[in-house]
Amino acid sequence: MSTQQTLTNGIDVEALGAVCQQITADSKLGFVHFTTSTRWQGGTRTETAIEELKVNGENVPREYKINSDEPTQLLGSDTAANPQELVLAGLAGCMMVGFVAGCSVHGIDLESVELRTTSALDLRGFLGLDPQVIAGLSGVSYELHVRGSGTDEQYESIHQHVLATSPNFYNLNQPISVEGKVVVEKSKG
């Protein structure tokens, strides 16, 4: 006997519920580990390989590349989005997943959802020209445009849930630890 998968907005709500139950029963099942490797491609261009994703200790095959570059106005060759645009895309993508999943769990059929993000960067901080200017984004603003069968109150409630649970919203909204070191390799020449 085969079971028919029911999708709401492309989300398998039953499978999502089963995953939540499994993680609730065994919290070790809720850990996901990520590994990437970014290589310089010349000029301001980089290529990041998505190397590893582990869910509950299981390696999940990932073979994705993400390129970045700067626009010509910032001395790049304008072949890809720049790193700040990728940060905004990562935030929006993470929030979008949570919002669509939340709508799906509540039985709301969506026609369209768009998350428009904006931010600004003062190059004086990045270039080290003024120690009073921060080196990062000065803040992020967004608008979430949604059309579907939900009410204003339902959408706002789901939005508030996303703000409380989105990993990338948290990562940009709170200080998180970043540690690193430089490993100098011998020149091949």
Side-chain angles (χ1 to χ4, degrees), residues 84-137:
Q84 288 68 44
E85 292 163 329
L86 294 173
V87 166
L88 294 178
L91 170 65
C94 186
M95 290 177 67
M96 184 73 75
V97 167
F99 188 80
V100 171
C103 288
S104 299
V105 166
H106 287 87
I108 298 169
D109 291 315
L110 296 170
E111 294 176 37
S112 66
V113 185
E114 179 180 352
L115 188 58
R116 183 174 178 81
T117 58
T118 59
S119 189
L121 176 72
D122 188 332
L123 291 175
R124 294 176 300 159
F126 168 70
L127 296 171
L129 301 175
D130 185 342
Q132 302 301 313
V133 176
I134 64 168
L137 298 174

Side-chain angles (χ1 to χ4, degrees), residues 20-187:
C20 290
Q21 287 177 348
Q22 291 170 349
I23 293 170
T24 299
D26 183 355
S27 63
K28 289 181 268 174
L29 298 176
F31 287 90
V32 181
H33 299 270
F34 308 90
T35 302
T36 65
S37 179
T38 301
R39 294 187 184 274
W40 175 57
Q41 300 294 304
T44 61
R45 296 181 320 276
T46 65
E47 180 181 84
T48 300
I50 308 304
E51 289 188 345
E52 186 174 64
L53 175 71
K54 283 187 180 179
V55 179
N56 188 29
E58 175 186 341
N59 285 328
V60 178
R62 308 288 282 174
E63 295 183 23
Y64 299 102
K65 305 268 191 227
I66 300 170
N67 295 303
S68 71
D69 195 359
E70 294 291 346
T72 55
Q73 296 84 346
L74 297 177
L75 307 177
S77 52
D78 202 19
T79 62
N82 82 359
Q84 288 68 44
E85 292 163 329
L86 294 173
V87 166
L88 294 178
L91 170 65
C94 186
M95 290 177 67
M96 184 73 75
V97 167
F99 188 80
V100 171
C103 288
S104 299
V105 166
H106 287 87
I108 298 169
D109 291 315
L110 296 170
E111 294 176 37
S112 66
V113 185
E114 179 180 352
L115 188 58
R116 183 174 178 81
T117 58
T118 59
S119 189
L121 176 72
D122 188 332
L123 291 175
R124 294 176 300 159
F126 168 70
L127 296 171
L129 301 175
D130 185 342
Q132 302 301 313
V133 176
I134 64 168
L137 298 174
S138 60
V140 176
S141 298
Y142 68 89
E143 285 186 357
L144 179 65
H145 296 256
V146 60
R147 185 180 316 129
S149 66
T151 65
D152 292 357
E153 293 78 18
Q154 286 175 309
Y155 291 135
E156 185 55 36
S157 176
I158 293 165
H159 173 239
Q160 291 303 314
H161 182 74
V162 167
L163 297 182
T165 60
S166 166
N168 283 355
F169 180 81
Y170 178 89
N171 291 341
L172 288 179
N173 204 36
Q174 304 291 323
I176 63 169
S177 172
V178 177
E179 299 174 8
K181 63 181 179 180
V182 175
V183 178
V184 179
E185 298 177 356
K186 297 221 182 247
S187 178

